[in-house]
Amino acid sequence: MTYTDDLQNRVDQIKKGGQEKYHRKNEEKGKLFVRRRLELLFDEDMDIEDALFANNMDDGLPSDGVVTGIGRVNGQDVCIMANDSTVKAGSWGKRTVEKIIRIQETAAKLEIPMLYLVDSAGARITDQVEMFPGRRGAGRIFHNQIKLAGRVPQVCLLFGPSAAGGAYIPAFCDIVVMVDGNASMYLGSPRMAEKVIGEKVSLEEMGGANMHCSVSGVGDVLVQSEEEAITYTRSYLTYFPANFRNKPGVTDPVDVQAFEKSITDLIPENQNAPFNMYDFINRIIDEDSFCEVKKKFAPELITGLARINGKSVGIIANQPRVKGGVLFPDSADKSAKFIQLCDAFNIPLLFLMDIPGFMIGTKVEQAGIIRHGAKMLAAMSEATVPKISVVVRKAYGAGLYAMAGPAFEPDACLALPTAQIAVMGPEAAVNAVYANKIAELPEEERPAFIKEKQEEYKDNIDIYRLASEMVIDAIVEPNDLRNELTKRYKIYEAKNATFTDRKHGVYPV
Amino acid sequence: MTEIKASMAGSVWKLTVGTGEKVEPDQDIVILESMKMEIPIATETGGTVKELKVTEGDFVNEADVIAIIE
């Protein structure tokens, strides 16, 4: 055998991954082989692979269970690490960890996106001294992720388990895409939970994809297959630049989808009646350009990327159809991360307001709604990208503040003619101010008195009055909103702002 | 059997279906009033309304069962 044949044989053998039985087991679960996943992810073949021969002296550990390298996604070079679950269940040995650390260092040097294709049982306990505690132990992976956060996009595609310490890889990514049925995250397995704390629980219930994407909010996007996860990721990355120094790419402008009902037809006159905010969003963005983040988590607030006239924009919109569009601890939390994500990568923000305020009551106070709300306000306030808020209908109380109200330096606060801005709605305000007076009146006189006071109150918060006081910058014809936004974003592109001079804020987390 | 639960605390403003009625997925079952807003509570699955656990004017807490669909 020649030297080259020998080399080729070894490469071929390593690229096969683990034993055949583990390939079959994965197939049964609808899981693709790691190298197939990468073929689907990249435009063409992966360009560079490093440390293919890692741990090649040990027969059973090809590439030490992880593939690392660089390939192109939508023409952009990206770094990847991808666990091979046919090799010791994708567990981490010394070289696995070193490979992950090195590819992260490469992403930092080149300032290009870092993608994590995770399918791993966690640390190899037998290798713990080499891979766990030291300077280049697994802790360094997370340290690097934290350093990369906001410098380059970091995406986690979760195809299988992400267990114990490994569960922090998804946690430090900008976004986590989870495959329903196969993906899971947990610090302690159900078996461990039963042994240590006596809890009997299923994996799905404790750490499954559906739970994380709808209850805990650790997952962002729930998909039904690995192919769907990859398609979503490729589409998601089109909204982003390679790093924080650049602006997102611009695509050819696409017209808005044609609808029978216009925006004006859509919005009910009664401020308290719900309507579907998705219908509103679809009438101002390029057709089919909405890429939603955290759809199933805290759906009273919609967060997603879209394009207006070919340019990326991050949308934060109250959804009156769910929980009245009221802000809760989870929705405040959801928006804080989304705002930071967009601001980090120079994606302009659009706030669409139809909000009765923050939720009140014992339950939310005990859940810390004040500090979660503060977190949202802080993220929104600090965002220096072009920032436009639109008062679609009501904007009551701290809801106005959280949704980039005039005091928080939006480049513009626009209102539709249906807008209503106030500390609280007319019903609540009249009750608050005239409670004693109403109680004193004979019962038959009360409705007329309440109605009169509500009308007075409505005059006081009339949107034209607020425009006269220059609280808002413009009143926009609803069906012209898309044009107005297109013009304004184009002009605000020149904005070059820093928030303030300091090391960093003290976050109300 | 599917339990339809209140998405948030509030009072029952309107029942939009009756017991024994057939319902489609995403159809509103009741409308709550909370934070001065109308809060529609829909069923995710279709079926027949087996039981309505609330009447108009009742206070419900988040996650209280409102109706059972079979």
Side-chain angles (χ1 to χ4, degrees), chain A residues 239 251-259 263 277-292 302-317 348-350 352 478-483 485-486 489:
Chain A
Y239 296 85
T251 61
D252 290 335
V254 176
D255 278 343
V256 71
Q257 194 183 335
F259 290 98
I263 290 186
M277 188 56 88
Y278 287 109
D279 294 337
F280 187 95
I281 292 170
N282 284 330
R283 281 164 175 79
I284 55 172
I285 62 170
D286 296 4
E287 185 168 0
D288 285 334
S289 72
F290 198 52
C291 176
E292 192 162 2
I302 299 168
T303 52
L305 302 150
R307 286 191 184 86
I308 295 181
N309 206 37
K311 289 178 186 167
S312 291
V313 59
I315 297 176
I316 297 101
L349 291 167
L350 174 61
L352 300 173
N479 298 327
D480 196 41
L481 181 60
R482 177 179 156 94
N483 284 335
L485 293 172
T486 305
Y489 281 124

Side-chain angles (χ1 to χ4, degrees), chain A residues 270-274 320-326 328 356-360 363 393-394 427-428 431, chain B residues 6-10 13 26-28 31 33-42 44 61-63:
Chain A
N270 174 6
Q271 290 276 355
N272 304 346
R321 186 76 180 76
V322 180
K323 296 184 177 182
V326 174
F328 282 72
F358 281 89
M359 187 58 184
I360 59 166
K363 191 161 181 187
R393 293 204 298 176
K394 61 200 159 313
E427 299 89 345
N431 278 338
Chain B
S7 61
M8 65 195 286
W13 180 56
D26 296 327
Q27 187 178 334
D28 292 345
I31 300 176
E33 198 206 335
S34 180
M35 301 291 285
K36 304 289 171 196
M37 287 291 296
E38 293 169 25
I39 317 286
I41 307 294
E44 276 183 23
N61 230 322
E62 186 182 323

Side-chain angles (χ1 to χ4, degrees), chain A residues 432-450:
Chain A
V433 178
Y434 297 105
N436 292 340
K437 174 91 180 165
I438 293 168
E440 281 166 17
L441 284 175
E443 206 164 325
E444 63 277 12
E445 288 176 30
R446 286 178 195 170
F449 177 81
I450 292 172

